[in-house]
Structure formats: C-alpha cells, structure tokens
Amino acid sequence: MGHIRVLAAGAGVSAALAALTACASPDDGAAGQDRCSVRSDPAPIERRFPAFGTPERVHWCGVVLNAGDGRVPGPTDVRLVGVVELAPAAFAGIVEDLGEDPVAQAPQGLPGEIVEFLPGEARWRRSDRLDRSVTQGRYTGSFHVDTAHRVVLVDCVDPVPPSTEPAP
C-alpha cells in the first residue's frame, strides 16, 4: 500500500512540473542558458496576465531555469519573457497601475531572441506598484512599460494565472 502512495505522489509531482513548464517548449534552453524559441500565440499570455486583455501582438518565450541533469526529478522554474502590445483600453489600465512615480529603467539580461522584438527608441518605465498589481504576490516578475508603443515587457519566473477561487 505504501508503494501505491509513493507512485501517486510521484504522478502528482510530475503533473505539477508539466503545468509549470507548459509555457516552455523542449528546445527553450537548458540550465544556465538564456536561449529560447519565440512564440506568438497569445493564449498563454492572456491566461497568465488577464489585466492585459486581448493583446494586439505578442512575442514571448520560456527559458528553463535550474533544470538539473535529468537523472533525478526536481523543481524546474521557467522564466517567461515577452513583448506584449496591448489594446488601448487595457494599456490605459496598466498605465494607471504604473502609478504616479514610475522609474525610468531599461530592461537588462533579456534573451537575444526577445530583444529583436523591442520597439526602437523605447522609453521604459516600471514600478513596484505595477509589479504587485500584476503578480498579486503569487510569483516574481517585473513589467516595463513603453507608453509611446503601448508595449509591456514581461520578465517573470513561474507566472501562474490568478486564482479562480472566489475571495473569502
């Protein structure tokens, strides 16, 4: 009976890892590498970031972090990095969440495959307030905003969709 519980627990862990890495494809990189395959399907972005509404254009990728050597299962984190062009109404909400005192800050350490999709001459702004608003404390992430192009640069680890459970 104990073996059945161990097998069931192992299956649960495998399912959880599959859910976390669903936004990364197998060729999205290996431990210690910041390479990725750029995707333009909006559904994973819409699901994880409902405040973005239905984006007009997306380019994103998942970079597998600390994947280990594959012999022993372990935690796998996925860094999601993307450039998301928002519709005007959704962008207005993001700018409002940015607050009155955003910081001018250029994004750093981005995968080269994503850099080519950044708007030219962007003037990036970010704020802790926007980061908290989008992540809701469920994961780490930073969100840079360029108002001239209605673009949000997403850079986060293990982003999960907001809870669908009703608030108590």
Side-chain angles (χ1 to χ4, degrees):
M1 190 66 126
H3 295 296
I4 293 173
R5 277 192 221 134
V6 170
L7 289 173
V13 169
S14 295
L17 285 175
L20 282 175
T21 60
C23 65
S25 61
D27 66 341
D28 279 347
Q33 295 179 344
D34 279 345
R35 52 178 224 85
C36 60
S37 296
V38 176
R39 296 171 55 176
S40 59
D41 49 325
I45 300 300
E46 291 172 3
R47 187 172 46 255
R48 285 172 177 79
F49 310 107
F52 293 175
T54 302
E56 292 185 354
R57 188 172 310 135
V58 299
H59 293 95
W60 63 276
C61 68
V63 178
V64 178
L65 306 173
N66 64 327
D69 63 11
R71 291 181 288 172
V72 178
T76 299
D77 292 321
V78 176
R79 177 184 179 202
L80 188 147
V81 183
V83 179
V84 184
E85 183 180 334
L86 302 182
F91 190 73
I94 294 299
V95 170
E96 184 176 319
D97 286 345
L98 192 58
E100 295 177 15
D101 298 315
V103 175
Q105 185 181 59
Q108 297 183 358
L110 301 175
E113 296 87 348
I114 290 296
V115 170
E116 70 183 77
F117 295 101
L118 296 176
E121 300 185 32
R123 298 174 121 182
W124 298 108
R125 304 281 186 263
R126 64 163 301 280
S127 71
D128 292 338
R129 176 181 165 178
L130 176 62
D131 295 349
R132 285 190 306 271
S133 174
V134 176
T135 65
Q136 299 176 3
R138 298 172 57 99
Y139 55 90
T140 60
S142 64
F143 302 87
H144 291 73
V145 176
D146 175 48
T147 55
H149 299 96
R150 286 194 335 263
V151 169
V152 176
L153 174 67
V154 175
D155 191 353
C156 51
V157 176
D158 297 334
V160 294
S163 176
T164 55
E165 298 174 15

